[in-house]
């Protein structure tokens, strides 16, 4: 999952989070993230997920700055700054959702208590009773 944070432009303040790829960003109505800013093309950038990470590709004539350097394609890293026309976006890896583990933890504790009680019962049953003199 990724998060694109719009830092500058008409959609400033927007946090777009998705796990669907390929992700298209641009001015067109059918783009996944629509940015109606000056200098943004209809389909300005496409972000894909591959085995080795998140990659971006722009059309030949579109201008994209990644961390203030012009680039047509490459791999995105956490915190990269993307400049598409007058819009600026920050690329973040979204926080991983961790399911609640309370039930599993409770079951583990219950098992440990039952195991300890069983061991104590075995000790009391099999230990010889003290003889009175």
């Amino acid at each position: 999952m990724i998060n694109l944070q719009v830092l500058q432009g008409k959609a400033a303040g927007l946090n777009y989070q998705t796990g669907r790829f390929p992700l298209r960003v641009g001015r067109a109505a059918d783009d996944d993230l629509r940015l109606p800013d000056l200098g943004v093309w209809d389909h300005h950038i496409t972000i894909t997920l591959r085995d080795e990470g998140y990659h971006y590709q722009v059309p030949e004539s579109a201008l994209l700055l990644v961390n203030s350097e012009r680039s047509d394609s490459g791999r995105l890293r956490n915190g990269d700054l993307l400049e598409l026309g007058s819009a600026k976006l920050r690329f973040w890896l979204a926080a991983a959702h961790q399911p609640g583990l309370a039930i599993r933890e409770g079951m583990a504790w219950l098992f440990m208590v039952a195991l300890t009680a069983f061991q104590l019962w075995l000790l009391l049953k099999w230990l010889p009773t003290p003889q009175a003199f």
Side-chain angles (χ1 to χ4, degrees):
M1 251 324 234
I2 64 167
N3 184 32
L4 292 174
Q5 180 183 18
V6 182
L7 302 174
Q8 181 178 316
K10 293 180 181 177
L14 174 71
N15 284 315
Y16 183 81
Q17 193 171 48
T18 187
R20 289 184 40 211
F21 298 97
L23 170 70
R24 293 190 324 187
V25 180
R27 290 181 77 104
D30 62 337
D31 283 333
D32 300 306
L33 175 56
R34 190 166 183 268
L35 298 174
D37 296 295
L38 294 174
V40 177
W41 288 55
D42 280 349
H43 304 294
H44 202 111
I45 183 174
T46 302
I47 299 174
T48 57
L49 174 61
R50 300 183 192 156
D51 289 339
E52 63 274 3
Y54 297 96
H55 291 264
Y56 62 91
Q57 180 77 36
V58 295
E60 284 184 25
S61 51
L63 175 64
L64 173 70
L65 299 177
V66 178
N67 299 323
S68 301
E69 294 183 17
R70 185 178 179 148
S71 181
D72 295 332
S73 64
R75 184 173 178 210
L76 287 169
R77 288 171 178 72
N78 200 29
D80 279 349
L81 178 66
L82 309 172
E83 297 180 51
L84 301 78
S86 61
K88 289 185 180 181
L89 306 162
R90 178 78 63 191
F91 173 84
W92 294 108
L93 297 175
H97 173 71
Q98 183 173 355
L101 300 175
I103 293 174
R104 290 183 188 170
E105 186 177 346
M107 294 298 287
W109 279 107
L110 184 63
F111 174 75
M112 293 299 291
V113 167
L115 181 63
T116 304
F118 179 69
Q119 288 177 342
L120 286 173
W121 177 78
L122 283 176
L123 282 173
L124 292 174
K125 181 178 179 187
W126 295 105
L127 280 178
T129 57
Q131 302 280 330
F133 290 99

